[in-house]
Amino acid sequence: MTITRPKHAPMPQFPVEAGQLHVGGRNIAAWAEEYGTPLYLYDRNVIAATVATLRKVIPAGIGIHYALKANPYPPLVNFLSPLLDGLDIASVGELEVALAAGANPAHISMAGPGKTDAVLFAALSAGIRINIESAGELIRLAQLAHAAGCRARIALRINPDIELKSAGMRMGGGATPFGIDAEQAPALLMQLGDLPVDFEGFHFYAGSQILRADVIVAMQRHCFELAVRLATEAGLQVRSLNLGGGFGIPYFPGETRLDLAPIAAGLQDISKQAREIWPGVQIDLELGRYLVGEAGLYVTRIVDRKTSRGKTYLITDGGMNHHLAASGNLGQVLRKNYPVAIGNRIDTGIEETVSIVGPLCTPLDLLADNVALPQAVPNDLVVIFQSGAYGYSASPNGFLSHPLPREILL
Ligand SMILES: *Cc1c(COP(=O)(O)O)cnc(C)c1O
């Protein structure tokens, strides 16, 4: 019996030429030489190709928004914003990046629990839509709008009343700090008429990193039907329906790319029905990881190579302080390896099994555990794929006070 181990999905977005990984038309060693390591490289052509693929498949008229949380690097947001229909933010810092990117405030929305009065006021003043996450937040926002003599643009973020499961991840439905429970929404909707707020519609965001199209289709269908029920009962017209996102990308062995076709078909049905009920309604998706994750590489240089009781370690100049997710410490239950390569020796023939660790004095700083790679020596470059989302900005950069990595949009 042969046992085939699950493999990482291929990474065709970055070509290999003369044994070196190429990005932005040059080999990886040239970029490492120019900008130093550790380094995040984001390839704008890969981002543009992802957007183009989505546009081709997703029904016309469905808006695609970018959630800055995935990667708020300003040059990347500046590049992405004009290609899309809106930006989703969750802090005043992200609001500033979105406005500096030239995004129209009419097409910016803010989500997130725990918006302080100062944050709500900044959003109100900017004229963006605020996705309301609780009854208390609605009242505080209404008070601020009343005091300022203006009206707030709002959507209610709804926590759906079902649980959809994908690979063990809960997709909303239970207790959560995010959004308003579906069963609490009718009472809140009744109050809106007395408040200085303009109700624009509903926002749903109930899961991340979903690779199963059927789960996304079922979730979007459920959210749409819930929105219809809530709006009908409250006698409200919906102008905006944000169905969230959660589209995943393959990180770990055995994972494959999301099949967009069933999602497109499901959205086609939803959009047809929605327009019959609410003429002129705008339906949007809100994607983070899917838009930028595959376009990014984390590049770190091997400083040392050693063996300990039969195990070979490659020790690099950057680690979990720059890339927490690759170390397995950003929410993973079981640690698994990201796709990784020796960027300047892609196919040398001689393979060995190594573990790659960063320079931090903690066993948590593990970038790849027992991976088969071409034999590498100090000064070679370790490249971690799928690093365009939840990399730099989602890592504990201050831990151990090493230098920060550079980020470059190519
Ligand atoms: C995190 C988040 C996103 C982006 O999620 P991805 O999984 O990166 O697509 C979008 N919207 C909201 C409200 C979020 O919290």
Side-chain angles (χ1 to χ4, degrees):
M1 198 176 78
T2 51
I3 297 169
T4 43
R5 289 227 209 140
K7 285 203 174 75
H8 282 107
M11 296 289 142
Q13 67 272 42
F14 299 110
V16 174
E17 284 168 37
Q20 287 225 28
L21 198 66
H22 271 236
V23 46
R26 283 167 86 190
N27 68 46
I28 204 83
W31 293 121
E33 194 60 42
E34 181 167 348
Y35 294 112
T37 56
L39 178 64
Y40 271 99
L41 294 173
Y42 310 121
D43 186 337
R44 74 181 69 212
N45 291 324
V46 176
I47 297 174
T50 303
V51 173
T53 303
L54 275 170
R55 291 288 193 198
K56 208 164 76 194
V57 179
I58 300 296
I62 300 230
I64 300 174
H65 288 213
Y66 176 56
L68 267 67
K69 185 179 73 183
N71 188 333
Y73 179 53
L76 180 144
V77 179
N78 296 347
F79 173 72
L80 201 44
S81 177
L83 304 180
L84 300 175
D85 306 300
L87 299 178
D88 295 296
I89 56 148
S91 68
V92 173
E94 289 186 355
L95 174 60
E96 282 163 5
V97 173
L99 292 173
N104 181 345
H107 302 145
I108 301 177
S109 56
M110 176 183 264
K115 302 182 195 80
T116 63
D117 284 3
V119 171
L120 290 171
F121 188 74
L124 184 66
S125 308
I128 66 172
R129 175 190 302 151
I130 300 165
N131 294 326
I132 297 292
E133 307 258 357
S134 77
E137 185 174 277
L138 175 64
I139 297 309
R140 284 191 295 119
L141 177 63
Q143 284 165 352
L144 289 166
H146 179 74
C150 64
R151 296 178 72 78
R153 298 175 51 211
I154 65 155
L156 291 199
R157 177 174 178 177
I158 304 293
N159 172 29
D161 48 3
I162 55 156
E163 250 180 73
L164 287 168
K165 289 204 162 127
S166 160
M169 190 175 13
R170 219 196 50 225
M171 312 294 305
T176 162
F178 309 111
I180 294 155
D181 290 354
E183 54 277 26
Q184 293 180 18
L188 222 56
L189 288 166
M190 295 291 285
Q191 297 174 31
L192 294 182
D194 304 326
L195 301 174
V197 298
D198 291 323
F199 171 77
E200 298 189 351
F202 295 105
H203 172 227
F204 296 92
Y205 176 80
S208 184
Q209 182 49 21
I210 308 164
L211 286 168
R212 277 182 48 192
D214 60 332
V215 171
I216 292 176
V217 170
M219 180 176 78
Q220 291 177 337
R221 167 60 43 188
H222 177 80
C223 292
F224 167 60
E225 286 172 1
L226 183 54
V228 172
R229 177 158 62 76
L230 292 174
T232 308
E233 281 172 16
L236 287 167
Q237 194 68 12
V238 169
R239 278 183 274 157
S240 162
L241 181 63
N242 184 332
L243 290 175
F247 294 18
I249 61 172
Y251 288 106
F252 304 125
E255 293 182 345
T256 55
R257 288 186 169 78
L258 182 63
D259 181 7
L260 292 175
I263 300 172
L267 285 171
Q268 186 70 54
D269 293 342
I270 289 175
S271 121
K272 190 166 165 286
Q273 291 172 30
R275 281 170 195 161
E276 282 164 13
I277 305 170
W278 308 304
V281 63
Q282 175 61 45
I283 300 176
D284 296 309
L285 301 176
E286 172 178 282
L287 305 175
R289 181 193 321 269
Y290 191 84
L291 292 171
V292 296
E294 302 229 33
L297 299 172
Y298 177 61
V299 185
T300 177
R301 203 179 276 283
I302 298 172
V303 176
D304 199 2
R305 177 194 163 99
K306 67 191 273 191
T307 56
S308 168
R309 308 218 161 101
K311 188 161 172 161
T312 301
Y313 289 95
L314 304 176
I315 304 174
T316 57
D317 63 3
M320 70 178 290
N321 50 332
H322 306 152
H323 204 330
L324 187 67
S327 76
N329 294 297
L330 186 71
Q332 293 94 325
V333 180
L334 285 178
R335 194 195 170 284
K336 292 179 192 160
N337 291 320
Y338 267 48
V340 56
I342 305 299
N344 58 314
R345 290 177 203 274
I346 293 291
D347 38 24
T348 49
I350 323 158
E351 285 212 334
E352 60 177 356
T353 296
V354 296
S355 288
I356 302 173
V357 300
L360 306 194
C361 305
T362 162
L364 298 177
D365 194 9
L366 176 62
L367 291 177
D369 194 27
N370 292 323
V371 282
L373 285 173
Q375 207 166 65
V377 295
N379 281 324
D380 283 345
L381 298 166
V382 167
V383 174
I384 300 178
F385 295 92
Q386 308 297 74
S387 297
Y390 305 108
Y392 181 26
S393 70
S395 300
N397 291 293
F399 192 28
L400 272 290
S401 304
H402 282 280
L404 298 177
R406 281 191 76 169
E407 296 184 283
I408 306 287
L409 178 73
L410 303 175

